Amino acid sequence: METSNTAPRTARLELDGKTYELPVVVGTENERGIDISSLRSQTGHITMDDGYGNTGSCYSKITFIDGEKGILRYRGIPIEELAEKSSFIEVAHLIIYGQLPSSKQLQRFSDLLTRNEMLHEDMKFHFEGFPSNAHPMAILSSMINATACFYPETLEPYDASTFEVEAARLLSQVRTIAAFSYRKSRGLPIIYPKPAYKYSANLLHMMFSEPYQEFELIPEVVRALDLIFLLHADHEQNCSTSTVRMVASSRANLFASAAAGVCGLWGPLHGGANQAVLEMLQAIHKEGDDGSKFIAAAKDKKSGKRLMGFGHRVYKNYDPRAKIIKRQCDELLAKLNINDPLLDIAKRLETVALQDSYFVERKLYPNVDFYSGIILRALGIPIEMFTVMFAIGRMPGWIANYREIAESVENRIYRPRQIYIGPPLNHYIPVKERTGQ
Ligand code: CMC
């Protein structure tokens, strides 16, 4: 572990009349933490941190976020620069391998993705087993796990010499699985990937071409999808990435770890928020509400409603990804000549919320999911596939976090503690002697 320590510091803890010294660790950007790894052995106490809001679970070199300032960087490079100048595949290389690829490395990476884009032919039969209304996130997670069965070497412990191919296989095939599950849900014939197409174009082709007619690839549409993937590519220790690391820490394989990540992402408080935002906007539109009724409900805890796409555990400022997506939304809809009433509702909700003391005091701003659904909808992606798009985009981050764990010599299995609050010692009662209904 490396930290950019200027002068070693310690924190002092007083407990039961004794004083303990705990080292202070400092990150590259001066983020500070108290290293409590010896706390239990020294004091017999653990820390409690519901929801892990104050817990650093690892050292990582991949992504930096300053939530107060609204900063996001992949391997030190600001998200704004990457969004303007880079592509999803270049960024995937940056995130997984730690550097922007040279043109030779980029070619090699792209070729590897192309060579690994086809699913094993027998995988096709697995899709037949799902009901046509199965949620594509359930299919995605099952099929990622199933993929490993077709490549037994994947099940072996981490091996740096095979990692490159495995990572490319996962990154490439997640897109093929997503497209196949969409085609299956619509009762449409499967469209195979086309080696000539780049990553995002190929996904659109597999989803929307027909055996008798190629889907017309509009450059702005391809670019918009690529940008969505790029903006989702990593986001440090969120619920799904921590899940990937948790599973990887037991030395489970890359595919098992990523499949677990898909499940972590699915919920509406995390990646599922993009679907939830669209459903919220549609409901507001259907009701003819201008958004005021919904905002009032979102502020009332008893309503059970939240302004989806707003708020973030780390950002206490505008999510920098949301700013980029909002701009892209305006540009894409203008280019495609789409006048989406849901975009107007979203903008109004944002304006009202950002002036409302409830949201201001709690520092609740639009997050990445607030506008992304409107872009995905304009691209013709069905609502139930929104979170799948998030998962495709997040794959480089999961792969890089898996690699960090797998390559770390210091890695121990992730195993948090708890404070037990159940019944005290109790004894077995034979069934006939038990009372109650
Ligand atoms: N609408 C209304 N109130 C909210 C919202 C919201 N969207 N988000 C937070 N609050 C309130 C919450 O009720 C609490 O109020 P109080 O202090 O009075 O009890 C306060 O703000 C703090 O919220 P919290 O739930 O303790 O914050 P958290 O850090 O645990 O949760 C969050 C973060 C993202 C789960 C939450 O803001 C939320 O549910 N947002 C809506 C869902 C959403 O958009 N999720 C996508 C997150 S970004 C993409 C990604 O997953 O990476």
Side-chain angles (χ1 to χ4, degrees):
M1 177 270 294
E2 293 161 29
T3 56
S4 68
N5 243 335
T6 37
R9 292 195 316 146
T10 51
R12 228 172 266 140
L13 170 72
E14 277 188 25
L15 194 65
D16 298 335
K18 282 195 188 153
T19 304
Y20 301 92
E21 303 248 318
L22 297 164
V24 170
V25 293
V26 186
T28 316
E29 296 291 338
N30 215 19
E31 288 173 297
R32 278 142 200 274
I34 300 168
D35 179 350
I36 56 142
S37 49
S38 66
L39 185 72
R40 189 168 176 277
S41 61
Q42 282 197 68
T43 69
H45 289 65
I46 61 169
T47 53
M48 279 307 293
D49 185 18
D50 189 26
Y52 306 132
N54 301 282
T55 296
S57 62
C58 60
Y59 294 96
S60 177
K61 295 178 179 170
I62 305 167
T63 290
F64 171 69
I65 302 176
D66 183 329
E68 268 67 38
K69 296 192 184 129
I71 291 173
L72 168 62
R73 299 181 196 142
Y74 298 155
R75 302 281 186 184
I77 306 180
I79 192 70
E80 294 79 5
E81 276 178 43
L82 292 167
E84 193 193 327
K85 299 176 182 162
S86 190
S87 68
F88 175 59
I89 287 312
E90 200 176 54
V91 160
H93 189 286
L94 171 72
I95 289 177
I96 299 171
Y97 297 106
Q99 66 204 35
L100 284 170
S102 64
S103 44
K104 215 167 140 195
Q105 285 169 325
L106 186 58
Q107 191 57 52
R108 180 184 154 83
F109 190 47
S110 302
D111 289 348
L112 210 52
L113 291 172
T114 303
R115 279 208 299 280
N116 284 284
E117 65 192 5
M118 290 283 283
L119 302 186
H120 190 290
E121 193 60 11
D122 291 350
M123 291 269 288
K124 255 179 33 186
F125 300 109
H126 290 243
F127 288 94
E128 304 303 322
F130 291 102
S132 57
N133 61 354
H135 196 287
M137 284 296 273
I139 301 182
L140 189 69
S141 127
S142 317
M143 295 303 269
I144 288 176
N145 227 339
T147 304
C149 306
F150 291 89
Y151 306 96
E153 69 280 11
T154 305
L155 307 174
E156 298 295 320
Y158 174 79
D159 176 353
S161 68
T162 54
F163 172 77
E164 198 186 9
V165 171
E166 284 175 25
R169 185 179 292 142
L170 177 56
L171 186 58
S172 199
Q173 293 193 6
V174 65
R175 167 190 57 160
T176 316
I177 294 171
F180 282 20
S181 65
Y182 164 71
R183 303 286 299 180
K184 154 83 188 147
S185 72
R186 299 288 146 119
L188 296 167
I190 276 168
I191 303 291
Y192 285 101
K194 203 166 176 174
Y197 286 155
K198 292 205 163 118
Y199 194 90
S200 301
N202 218 343
L203 175 59
L204 290 167
H205 160 70
M206 285 191 277
M207 284 183 77
F208 300 128
S209 285
E210 297 300 343
Y212 49 87
Q213 194 172 24
E214 287 269 309
F215 178 70
E216 189 197 342
L217 292 167
I218 302 168
E220 287 81 358
V221 165
V222 178
R223 172 68 191 145
L225 183 60
D226 203 69
L227 182 69
I228 292 273
F229 289 152
L230 183 156
L231 293 173
H232 286 83
D234 193 42
H235 212 240
E236 54 118 304
Q237 303 313 315
N238 50 74
C239 173
S240 56
T241 304
S242 297
T243 302
V244 169
R245 286 185 86 111
M246 172 75 80
V247 176
S249 79
S250 77
R251 311 264 156 89
N253 70 69
L254 173 63
F255 286 71
S257 306
V262 172
C263 297
L265 186 72
W266 193 355
L269 297 190
H270 190 12
N274 56 11
Q275 177 172 342
V277 169
L278 234 284
E279 285 164 354
M280 172 187 79
L281 295 174
Q282 279 171 336
I284 293 173
H285 184 51
K286 201 168 154 204
E287 265 195 30
D289 174 19
D290 66 352
S292 330
K293 253 169 56 194
F294 194 89
I295 293 262
K299 294 193 290 181
D300 175 6
K301 299 261 187 306
K302 282 186 262 143
S303 75
K305 290 187 177 158
R306 282 192 164 196
L307 183 53
M308 300 310 286
F310 254 69
H312 200 277
R313 173 65 62 79
V314 180
Y315 292 121
K316 300 300 163 203
N317 202 324
Y318 216 109
D319 180 336
R321 303 167 299 174
K323 267 190 204 157
I324 300 168
I325 291 185
K326 186 179 177 188
R327 209 177 319 123
Q328 177 66 33
C329 214
D330 282 329
E331 284 169 22
L332 183 75
L333 267 57
K335 165 73 196 168
L336 299 180
N337 228 347
I338 296 175
N339 190 358
D340 190 343
L342 300 193
L343 178 60
D344 299 333
I345 295 174
K347 284 185 174 170
R348 187 173 147 68
L349 286 174
E350 179 189 332
T351 309
V352 174
L354 293 183
Q355 287 165 1
D356 186 308
S357 60
Y358 175 94
F359 294 90
V360 174
E361 279 160 19
R362 289 171 179 77
K363 300 191 175 147
L364 302 171
Y365 291 85
N367 61 48
V368 67
D369 294 315
F370 196 63
Y371 288 105
S372 64
I374 294 173
I375 296 192
L376 292 173
R377 181 170 133 107
L379 299 182
I381 310 282
I383 192 165
E384 71 279 6
M385 288 290 289
F386 284 9
T387 315
V388 170
M389 297 295 133
F390 193 148
I392 296 174
R394 185 52 53 87
M395 207 47 78
W398 290 342
I399 294 171
N401 276 276
Y402 170 87
R403 185 172 177 232
E404 257 188 3
I405 290 264
E407 288 191 343
S408 159
V409 282
E410 290 155 10
N411 173 51
R412 301 169 75 202
I413 190 164
Y414 279 26
R415 205 307 184 183
R417 295 264 178 177
Q418 64 166 19
I419 298 285
Y420 174 71
I421 53 167
L425 180 63
N426 220 317
H427 291 288
Y428 181 82
I429 302 169
V431 67
K432 285 187 193 142
E433 295 167 30
R434 290 175 214 159
T435 52
Q437 295 183 341

